[in-house]
Amino acid sequence: MARSGLSETAPQRVALVTGSSRGIGRAIALRLAATGHAVAVNYSSHADAAKHVVEEIAETGGIAAAFGADVGRADEVTRLFAEIEAELGPVDVLVNNAGITRDDLLLRMDEDEWNDVLRTNLTSQFLCSKAAVRSMVRRRWGRIICISSVSGVAGNPGQTNYAASKAGVIGFAKALAKEVGSRSITVNAVAPGFIETDLTADLGDTAQAALLDRIALRRLGQPEEIAAVVGYLASDDAAYITGQAIVVDGGMAL
Ligand code: NAP
């Protein structure tokens, strides 16, 4: 666990962003830190990258700490939440962001490719939300933001596992929103289109050109453009928005 920027005056809210060592999660962590949250930066294997995010937050006067845990595993999630509570306090804002791809055509996809993606992208959201809701219910306030994908809204060849996990995230968010709304806990999904991160770095020039043709705004999105929407959903301004799946894709799934 790496930790930085702790001050005497604790901010009001603690945010956990799963998978925030890189990409979209990193941008969300920086955004939530900038709006006064103490941020738990979770990673699975890139400890140095997570430590760097914590340092970036500390440099701007924010509070953050890094926590290693595979959020697809129940025992690790239990440990993660105990460590965050001891270090920063109970989680007020949960951003279920950690995700992977293991693309393959259905006939070539093996069970490991299916199970790894479902476990990391969907089971993780169940495990973390369950751990977070326990204390949110007691405090009668909470924000859960579940990162989905346009692939889960419109489907994408070669991604039956990923699309199933991301469509599952939307159903999960809607059902949970109905369960916990009476406690002033909102649950929403954000479905990004193609965003420039390590996850999309392997696109060749031809694939990228074909992709841009399908996007009304004719460009890939930036992680900060997802973080802006997540930051809004985490704020008091979004208190009356719950159970929604907000697509942020530059007009790709139109
Ligand atoms: P990325 O750059 O590959 O980063 C993935 C992050 O998730 C890393 O911080 C990684 O940690 C973490 N992670 C992976 N497996 C984990 C596990 N089991 N436990 C904890 N952390 C884990 O991906 P990204 O593009 O930022 O994507 C972030 C989310 O947005 C994902 O849910 C993805 O499906 C979704 N999304 C992305 C796009 C896009 O175009 N990029 C589009 C739609 C949806 P380590 O660094 O330690 O490996």
Side-chain angles (χ1 to χ4, degrees), residues 68 101 155 166 190:
T101 51
K166 293 300 187 179
V190 172

Side-chain angles (χ1 to χ4, degrees), residues 18-26 42-47 49 69-73 96-101 119-121 124-125 147-151 162 166 190-200 223:
T18 68
S20 48
S21 48
R22 297 181 284 124
I24 294 172
R26 171 183 168 276
N42 160 250
Y43 63 94
S44 134
S45 53
H46 291 82
D70 177 345
V71 289
R73 300 198 181 281
N96 285 314
N97 167 78
I100 57 168
T101 51
R119 186 179 66 75
T120 305
N121 296 6
S124 66
Q125 301 216 9
I147 304 301
S148 173
S149 166
V150 278
S151 186
Y162 185 77
K166 293 300 187 179
V190 172
F194 265 86
I195 310 300
E196 278 192 82
T197 69
D198 293 347
L199 202 73
T200 50

